[in-house]
Amino acid sequence: MKKKKIFSQAVLITILGAALVIVLIPIFWAISMSFDATTIDVVPNPPRFIPKEFSVFNYKYALEAIPIARYYINTFLLTLINTAISVFTAMACGYAFSKGKFPCKGILFLMVLAVMMIPFEVRMIPLFLQYRDWNMLDTWWPLILGSFAWAYGIFLARQFIDSIPDSLRESASIDGAGEWYIFLKIILPLCGPVIATLVIFQVVNQWNNFLWPLVVVSNPKKQVISVGLAMFNASETARYLGPRLAVSVLGAIPLMIVYLFLQKYIVQSVMLSGVKE
């Protein structure tokens, strides 16, 4: 049995290692070629993984061609604002649906679940028309207001808070604590894992958000990095392939750093994202 277990683990490690290599090869190639001066016009064929002529020209060209610093600032601010709003409101609504007692609670929660089942593309045109009537197009408001109702975050928060014993809330209530005190001082400190999960999900989603900013924001100075890089790759100034690789690397660096330093919490978030009974 022990030999069989060792063999199965070795097979699993081999398969995962091969999958890791397959995933990392394109990333390593893109980073390497972004520092190769010979990739300005053409990509070498057959591909190579070591720069033939090491140069930072591609990065200099990319930084001069697009205001990437502005895109970084815009994306960072929107990610920070939306993550704070969406996580807090998701936890508050999850607490209400889990421990609160109010009319039609079950029906309202089913409506939240229904929102999760409707693709964003179906809701995009009505939302666009709504924000147009409110004169909010070409501003950040359409990108922020939606964070007040994060259906998946509410669902996940409610599932986690269900596992917290009701006796804690009842004891605090008997001692005279109000709902906000119970939520902020008792419930939230016990919800560290689910809060970390929601934060990671939102940071990744907000940084990669593309379609909605493309639709509602037209001013390049207000645009996020995902749209800005796509506009650069589609523009006439992107005729050189090397700078396009450099731009792609610059856009991916923040998420690489997040995954590097928060990999333990990311693994925990994947495990926690399952439905808890």
Side-chain angles (χ1 to χ4, degrees):
M1 288 295 295
K2 188 175 182 181
K3 291 183 178 180
K4 186 177 180 180
K5 184 177 180 180
I6 294 175
F7 176 76
S8 62
Q9 289 180 346
V11 172
L12 178 61
I13 292 173
T14 302
I15 295 174
L16 293 177
L20 178 64
V21 171
I22 293 173
V23 171
L24 290 181
I25 283 178
I27 299 175
F28 179 77
W29 176 84
I31 295 175
S32 177
M33 292 300 98
S34 67
F35 287 101
D36 193 338
T38 62
T39 61
I40 295 176
D41 296 311
V42 295
V43 176
N45 187 23
R48 59 174 180 268
F49 296 93
I50 299 177
K52 185 176 181 180
E53 296 181 18
F54 184 86
S55 173
V56 294
F57 169 79
N58 294 330
Y59 288 90
K60 289 182 178 180
Y61 183 91
L63 292 174
E64 293 174 357
I66 59 174
I68 195 166
R70 169 61 65 181
Y71 294 153
Y72 269 128
I73 294 173
N74 293 345
T75 309
F76 176 78
L77 291 177
L78 283 170
T79 300
L80 182 64
I81 294 171
N82 287 337
T83 300
I85 293 173
S86 60
V87 172
F88 180 80
T89 55
M91 293 303 302
C93 293
Y95 171 68
F97 281 120
S98 176
K99 306 300 184 184
K101 295 180 181 180
F102 51 89
C104 304
K105 183 176 77 170
I107 296 176
L108 292 174
F109 187 69
L110 287 176
M111 293 176 64
V112 172
L113 296 181
V115 173
M116 295 172 54
M117 303 174 189
I118 302 175
F120 174 75
E121 290 77 9
V122 177
R123 297 177 280 124
M124 184 175 63
I125 294 178
L127 287 173
F128 176 84
L129 297 176
Q130 174 180 298
Y131 287 119
R132 184 197 63 182
D133 294 339
W134 291 351
N135 295 322
M136 289 184 178
L137 294 182
D138 205 20
T139 69
W140 283 357
W141 284 113
L143 305 178
I144 295 175
L145 293 179
S147 299
F148 284 91
W150 184 23
Y152 180 74
I154 295 172
F155 167 75
L156 196 61
R158 188 250 193 184
Q159 294 298 110
F160 186 88
I161 296 175
D162 275 346
S163 65
I164 298 177
D166 293 337
S167 57
L168 294 176
R169 177 177 175 272
E170 293 171 355
S171 299
S173 180
I174 292 173
D175 291 338
E179 289 294 345
W180 279 108
Y181 183 91
I182 295 173
F183 172 67
L184 296 174
K185 299 296 184 179
I186 298 177
I187 300 299
L188 283 187
L190 298 174
C191 294
V194 72
I195 291 176
T197 299
L198 296 178
V199 167
I200 291 171
F201 283 171
Q202 271 291 43
V203 168
V204 174
N205 290 337
Q206 292 296 327
W207 195 268
N208 291 327
N209 194 10
F210 175 79
L211 181 59
W212 189 231
L214 177 65
V215 170
V216 298
V217 178
S218 57
N219 188 345
K221 294 182 179 179
K222 300 178 182 178
Q223 203 50 271
V224 297
I225 192 168
S226 58
V227 179
L229 299 187
M231 293 172 62
F232 169 76
N233 287 328
S235 65
E236 295 181 357
T237 57
R239 61 185 182 275
Y240 299 128
L241 299 178
R244 295 171 68 179
L245 291 174
V247 163
S248 300
V249 172
L250 290 173
I253 284 177
L255 287 186
M256 290 181 182
I257 295 174
V258 169
Y259 277 105
L260 181 64
F261 289 98
L262 300 179
Q263 54 184 324
K264 179 178 72 173
Y265 300 100
I266 292 172
V267 173
Q268 292 177 355
S269 70
V270 174
M271 298 173 60
L272 186 63
S273 61
V275 177
K276 300 181 66 177
E277 297 291 343

